Amino acid sequence: MTTGLHPGGTPQDPPPTGNQPVPRQATIGHGDLPADDRPRSSVITARAAASFDPVGRSVATARSFVRDTLQGWGFADIVDDAVVLTSELVTNAVVHAGTAADVLCLRSDDGARIEVADHYPEREIPLQGAAITMSSPDREGGRGLQLCAALASRWGVDYTPTQKLVWFQLDLPARPVGTRAAGPSLPAALLPLADGRVRVAVVQIDRTGSIASWNEDAEELFGYAAEQVTGKPLTDLAAWPHTPGTSTGIAEALRLSRWEGTYGIRGADGRVTPVYASHLRVRDTGGEPSTVCLLVRDHERAVLQTPLRGPAPDAASTPDGHNADPFEVFIGSPAPDDLDGLLQRTVERARDMLDGDSAFLLLATDDETELEVRASTGLPSARQRFARVPVEAGPGRYGSARMPAVHEDLQAVPGAVPLLSGTGMRSVVTVPLKVEGRLTGSLGVAAEAPNRYSNEEALRLQFAADRIALAVESARLGELERLRRGSLSFLVEASDLLAGTLDRDQTLALMAQMTVPTLATWCAVYTIADQSSDPYLSYVLHEDEEFIDGIKSLLSKIAPPDPVPTPGARVWAAPAEAAHQAALRTSMRSLGLGEPTRRVSSGIGPTLATASAVGGETVVLPLVARNRVIGMLTLGKPTDEHFRQEILELAEDLSRRAALALDNARLYSERTAISQSLQRSLLPPDLPHIEGVEVEVIYRAAGEGNEVGGDFYDLFPIRDGVYGFAIGDVCGTGPEAAAVTGLARHALRLLAREGFSGPAVLERLNSAILDEGARSRFLTLLYGELWPQEDGSAKLKVVCAGHPLPLRLRQDGTVEPAAEPQPLLGVMDDLELYEQTVTLDPGDVLLCVTDGVTERREGTRMLGDDGLTDVLTTCTGLTAGAVAARVMRAVERFASDAPSDDMAILAMRVPGLQKD
């Protein structure tokens, strides 16, 4: 069945399209009125539509749909006739014609019009003016038109080649001015019980859905002052739907011209107060629409609820003589796949059927060893929802789950029904829900007075439970299937996200963000560095960011959960207890009943808010990776809420994936730290200060996470007044090249300080590289020795072994090589190298680079030696640091892609003597 609720408006028939014939009309009814003839002044103020599948149970569902619609409109006077006519017409469509039935209810000021259409494909269109023969009253079917003629104010039939539509109009009886509806007079003992003054919250909602006014009773009921809520959407406060069962959301309900029903309002203390609401759509003198909501506590609904119709003598039978299913008529018409709506409506109607004060319904787990609270009315349902109790044994067992049971006084058998402990209920009747002999749940109705129920009520309730058990089980299995599919999708997405990062902090954030608010209201992640370390609170997240600091502060003051490797979720009561104790102490201090505090007013709000946010059920799941507990994932609910078992199972699957991702991130971080530490050891320490010479180095290693590659540089003192410098390039990049880099740099320092000349240093280094065997790599190297001179110049002796030639920039802007090329290292055993002497005059610059600079590419273009020379030509008069920076900037701008080779730039400039 599909339903739709529409705001008021006159329905328009769609115009014919294409070659579709205009439908002929067969007119039958009072005064031979045309099929669409109704007073033109009648304005349609509301519409409700539904479609029903061609199955037998659709007849009862259609009756409930029409009954609920008309009662919601306040048309109790015509409900009985409308239900009878709808039942017969829908039976003709879904049973006799075997097609789906479409039902449309139209409300006007003077009554209601109901249209029922089928889709029988082979019906002949009757000729205009053809005689219509009524069926015999004794036949099983065919009495629909006779009933329309007998009961409806007006009625008619519309035919098309693919559809027959029967409509009827029921006019409201004339009423004295000011009279709407009234119930029978009742003895005082049977009147609804009101606990003290009945407070009616009057809340006005503007056309945007925001609160425009909020009276004193609303402040008293929900704890908010008017200025706190004015301008906020009602949806921010409404726990919708507290009573599911229709597809109408609160936003749609506020737009209806008239609506009555039950939902919840979350108060200032965080608790949800079940309320019964009556909505009335109005407009002011300027035509601006708004909705006035009258709200009372749910158990005081008799104050506002439209009087229900009284039971008719033949209410349990249909007009064709067949017995209707009394519980299908009783239960109403929630959507077949709306499990929560079906369960909530079941408990409400069961409570009303037995005139109880509360009712509850529990569903059995797959192994039938526990019952889970899924719906209740007249009880603190938020506190009990999804809570579990054992069926057979153990403390708090549910001893009467498998058989009908009547408890005349619960004070005589405490704990018989754990759900009712501390609720004030005295008598209760419970019956099982069974499908094919298997326990699927339990339904109970309770009253505050003892001795209210007998075996007769148990039989009535069992009869109703037997009728609804199959529908409940079918809806439950459908919900489980949807949950399983959603769980698989959730876990796939979670795995992708967790696999996409190796950063520890980001992994922690992802773990929390995936659980909040999908699985829990708040989440905390504890990590354990090693077996000897205590759990450390690493991350806290709440769906409302304002609570994060309060929860973090609260958790930091209590001992962390024990790192138990046992799989599965376990309840952790410490946060809720600590939150409640802190809130209690703060409240007592604010009243002057506890220890004095310097700043009471500033602490009471956050403490109470934190207690409400953390006061529900808290569970801990171990994070186990590679047979070691590396942390705990803590999930929490706000006050009086519990976790569903399906959610806990999903959280357990997520915790296993998250633990492995977190451990991978830890291992990656540790290995990255070790690698970076080793790489930093290959870099030279701080450059020495050389009197009379400016020196600047820029180094870039290729590859993510690499600090050292195949390129290297060094500048070190050899003896007083003499400094060695080197810049080289090992074949390749990465750790293998870095290993040869370390060998070369340390060998250069050692040999140079032993007094060897430049060629001797490089020849011995060449032998050391060749001794590495298969690990050896060829090496290009520029090595030199520097002597600053008293006249402000500098003398250099350089050896260029296969390396890009150093360039000398003179003060006049000319650039020339400062050395000649010689064989590279690591290839031949016997090398004949020589050194060359270069003098840098004041203002001259010596630029040394690796081939990562000159071989910078953009497509087929390469910077090359000529491009580097052109850049250096523009550096006249710049300091060594400015020269190196300009060269690096030119290299980076030459191509858009990230560099694929290591780069090193060494610039030395002789500024000359400073004059006083």
Side-chain angles (χ1 to χ4, degrees):
M1 180 192 79
T2 58
T3 65
L5 295 177
H6 313 276
T10 303
Q12 301 293 330
D13 296 329
T17 58
N19 297 322
Q20 180 180 351
V22 178
R24 298 183 179 180
Q25 297 178 345
T27 305
I28 308 171
H30 296 301
D32 292 333
L33 292 174
D36 61 349
D37 188 10
R38 57 181 179 267
R40 295 303 177 185
S41 63
S42 177
V43 176
I44 301 303
T45 57
R47 307 169 64 188
S51 297
F52 302 92
D53 296 330
V55 293
R57 65 174 180 272
S58 293
V59 178
T61 308
R63 290 196 298 266
S64 299
F65 165 70
V66 172
R67 177 184 297 109
D68 291 345
T69 299
L70 296 185
Q71 287 178 345
W73 291 346
F75 289 179
D77 294 330
I78 61 174
V79 165
D80 291 339
D81 290 346
V83 168
V84 169
L85 294 178
T86 302
S87 178
E88 183 63 27
L89 296 179
V90 173
T91 298
N92 290 338
V94 302
V95 176
H96 301 302
T99 73
D102 299 330
V103 179
L104 174 64
C105 301
L106 304 173
R107 184 184 68 179
S108 61
D109 295 335
D110 54 357
R113 170 182 166 121
I114 298 176
E115 300 176 355
V116 179
D118 64 26
H119 302 275
Y120 191 67
E122 300 179 359
R123 178 180 294 106
E124 295 181 358
I125 302 177
L127 297 177
Q128 182 71 24
I132 303 297
T133 303
M134 290 293 186
S135 302
S136 169
D138 297 328
R139 292 183 55 189
E140 177 182 354
R143 297 193 306 270
L145 301 185
Q146 290 178 306
L147 289 172
C148 287
L151 300 177
S153 303
R154 291 178 299 278
W155 64 281
V157 182
D158 290 351
Y159 277 101
T160 71
T162 59
Q163 185 186 68
K164 182 182 77 172
L165 184 148
V166 180
W167 65 271
F168 58 88
Q169 174 83 23
L170 295 173
D171 293 337
L172 293 174
R175 295 176 181 169
V177 175
T179 301
R180 181 176 182 271
S185 60
L186 295 175
L190 298 180
L191 293 176
L193 179 64
D195 185 11
R197 174 188 168 188
V198 176
R199 296 187 179 273
V200 180
V202 181
V203 183
Q204 190 164 2
I205 312 299
D206 62 22
R207 68 185 309 162
T208 66
S210 300
I211 298 173
S213 65
W214 183 269
N215 73 339
E216 294 181 357
D217 279 3
E219 295 184 12
E220 182 67 25
L221 285 174
F222 310 122
Y224 296 107
E227 56 270 16
Q228 292 181 277
V229 295
T230 301
K232 291 185 177 181
L234 181 62
T235 52
D236 289 355
L237 305 181
W240 180 274
H242 179 75
T243 305
T246 69
S247 60
T248 309
I250 191 168
E252 292 80 6
L254 290 173
R255 288 194 294 267
L256 295 177
S257 59
R258 176 76 177 175
W259 184 89
E260 292 184 14
T262 305
Y263 51 91
I265 297 292
R266 188 175 297 278
D269 59 358
R271 298 178 181 270
V272 174
T273 301
V275 297
Y276 189 81
S278 177
H279 296 176
L280 178 64
R281 187 79 160 164
V282 298
R283 59 191 177 96
D284 60 20
T285 55
E288 188 69 15
S290 61
T291 302
V292 178
C293 305
L294 306 178
L295 301 93
V296 298
R297 292 186 178 92
D298 189 46
H299 63 273
E300 296 171 343
R301 65 170 56 194
V303 177
L304 296 181
Q305 189 170 25
T306 300
L308 301 176
R309 67 183 179 91
D314 56 350
S317 61
T318 60
D320 56 9
H322 289 278
N323 289 333
D325 188 334
F327 197 67
E328 283 192 354
V329 176
F330 155 80
I331 195 60
S333 56
D337 59 349
D338 182 10
L339 177 60
D340 288 337
L342 179 62
L343 300 182
Q344 191 64 37
R345 183 165 293 196
T346 298
V347 296
E348 291 191 347
R349 298 297 172 85
R351 178 194 62 182
D352 296 342
M353 183 177 71
L354 297 188
D355 192 23
D357 297 310
S358 64
F360 52 89
L361 193 149
L362 303 89
L363 293 184
T365 57
D366 292 338
D367 57 5
E368 301 178 18
T369 60
E370 290 182 306
L371 291 170
E372 184 179 64
V373 180
R374 291 300 302 270
S376 64
T377 182
L379 296 173
S381 57
R383 175 172 59 86
Q384 302 291 348
R385 187 165 169 79
F386 300 124
R388 291 193 164 202
V389 292
V391 175
E392 299 295 349
R397 68 185 181 89
Y398 199 107
S400 57
R402 298 189 182 276
M403 295 292 291
V406 176
H407 298 282
E408 297 178 349
D409 192 349
L410 289 176
Q411 290 186 357
V413 281
V417 184
L419 179 62
L420 301 180
S421 300
T423 62
M425 299 298 160
R426 294 286 298 275
S427 56
V428 62
V429 53
T430 60
V431 297
L433 275 68
K434 293 184 178 181
V435 175
E436 297 180 351
R438 182 172 58 87
L439 178 68
T440 61
S442 178
L443 175 64
V445 177
E448 296 178 350
N451 304 315
R452 280 284 299 276
Y453 300 116
S454 63
N455 289 337
E456 181 181 354
E457 282 80 9
L459 292 176
R460 290 178 60 196
L461 190 61
Q462 184 66 70
F463 179 76
D466 291 342
R467 294 300 183 272
I468 201 63
L470 186 59
V472 170
E473 181 67 5
S474 177
R476 186 182 73 89
L477 293 176
E479 180 190 66
L480 288 176
E481 180 62 23
R482 288 191 298 273
L483 184 59
R484 289 190 182 99
R485 291 181 180 180
S487 300
L488 290 175
S489 176
F490 172 77
L491 290 174
V492 168
E493 183 178 357
S495 299
D496 289 342
L497 290 173
L498 291 171
T501 179
L502 287 173
D503 182 82
R504 176 183 176 276
D505 293 337
Q506 188 174 359
T507 302
L508 289 172
L510 283 174
M511 290 170 57
Q513 292 167 5
M514 285 185 294
T515 57
V516 175
T518 305
L519 305 181
T521 306
W522 63 272
C523 167
V525 183
Y526 290 86
T527 56
I528 303 175
D530 51 58
Q531 298 291 350
S532 60
S533 301
D534 294 329
Y536 174 75
L537 182 61
S538 299
Y539 202 92
V540 175
L541 184 66
H542 190 280
E543 62 182 5
D544 187 343
E545 294 182 357
E546 295 181 357
F547 292 117
I548 294 178
D549 291 339
I551 296 176
K552 187 180 299 184
S553 175
L554 177 71
L555 295 179
S556 63
K557 296 176 182 177
I558 62 177
D562 296 330
V564 179
T566 306
R570 53 192 173 91
V571 176
W572 186 31
E577 294 175 356
H580 291 315
Q581 290 297 325
L584 179 61
R585 288 194 300 270
T586 303
S587 299
M588 293 181 65
R589 286 196 300 266
S590 67
L591 298 174
L593 301 177
E595 298 177 358
T597 181
R598 289 191 298 270
R599 299 184 62 185
V600 173
S601 59
S602 62
I604 184 170
T607 301
L608 294 177
T610 303
S612 177
V614 187
E617 187 175 53
T618 302
V619 297
V620 178
L621 297 103
L623 297 174
V624 181
R626 298 176 175 90
N627 298 321
R628 186 174 73 87
V629 181
I630 63 171
M632 286 86 70
L633 177 63
T634 303
L635 307 179
K637 288 281 191 180
T639 301
D640 296 341
E641 291 194 23
H642 296 266
F643 285 96
R644 297 183 58 178
Q645 184 64 25
E646 294 83 358
I647 295 298
L648 294 179
E649 293 172 356
L650 181 58
E652 186 178 358
D653 287 338
L654 176 64
S655 68
R656 288 195 291 266
R657 290 165 169 79
L660 188 58
L662 184 60
D663 199 47
N664 289 338
R666 177 187 62 83
L667 293 175
Y668 177 78
S669 299
E670 290 178 355
R671 293 178 182 179
T672 300
I674 294 173
S675 173
Q676 293 175 347
S677 177
L678 292 174
Q679 291 185 57
R680 283 192 292 269
S681 69
L682 300 177
L683 293 174
D686 295 337
L687 298 178
H689 174 72
I690 303 177
E691 187 69 29
V693 179
E694 297 175 358
V695 180
E696 182 66 25
V697 175
I698 297 179
Y699 184 81
R700 298 285 190 273
E704 183 179 0
N706 290 331
E707 295 189 19
V708 178
D711 292 6
F712 69 96
Y713 68 92
D714 202 359
L715 180 65
F716 56 92
I718 297 176
R719 53 187 178 275
D720 291 342
V722 181
Y723 297 88
F725 66 91
I727 184 170
D729 184 3
V730 178
C731 174
T733 60
E736 295 82 2
V740 180
T741 295
L743 170 65
R745 194 176 68 80
H746 290 94
L748 285 175
R749 287 190 171 221
L750 178 64
L751 294 172
R753 288 169 176 170
E754 288 294 324
F756 291 98
S757 64
V761 169
L762 268 60
E763 289 170 0
R764 284 164 174 76
L765 176 59
N766 180 64
S767 300
I769 294 174
L770 292 176
D771 289 343
E772 292 293 309
R775 296 182 299 176
S776 66
R777 291 171 175 260
F778 65 80
L779 167 67
T780 68
L781 180 63
L782 172 66
Y783 174 74
E785 295 179 356
L786 170 67
W787 287 270
Q789 303 297 309
E790 294 181 356
D791 60 359
S793 63
K795 180 181 179 181
L796 293 84
K797 292 183 178 181
V798 297
V799 181
C800 186
H803 198 77
L805 300 179
L807 299 179
R808 176 182 181 181
L809 172 65
R810 296 184 180 273
Q811 285 189 355
D812 59 4
T814 59
V815 176
E816 61 185 8
E820 297 177 353
Q822 300 183 58
L824 53 76
L825 308 181
V827 178
M828 299 178 293
D829 291 330
D830 297 327
L831 289 180
E832 295 183 2
L833 302 175
Y834 58 91
E835 61 184 9
Q836 297 175 273
T837 302
V838 180
T839 300
L840 295 180
D841 296 326
D844 288 354
V845 175
L846 184 71
L847 178 67
C848 310
V849 301
T850 58
D851 60 5
V853 173
T854 56
E855 295 180 0
R856 177 72 163 150
R857 295 180 180 274
E858 173 69 17
T860 58
R861 299 185 306 118
M862 185 172 71
L863 180 64
D865 295 333
D866 294 339
L868 180 62
T869 300
D870 293 340
V871 174
L872 186 59
T873 303
T874 66
C875 297
T876 303
L878 299 181
T879 63
V883 171
R886 179 169 291 188
V887 171
M888 177 57 72
R889 186 165 56 251
V891 172
E892 293 174 342
R893 292 178 176 177
F894 187 81
S896 57
D897 296 337
S900 59
D901 195 5
D902 305 325
M903 292 186 293
I905 299 174
L906 172 61
M908 293 182 291
R909 177 177 179 270
V910 180
L913 295 175
Q914 299 293 329
K915 298 181 179 180
D916 296 336

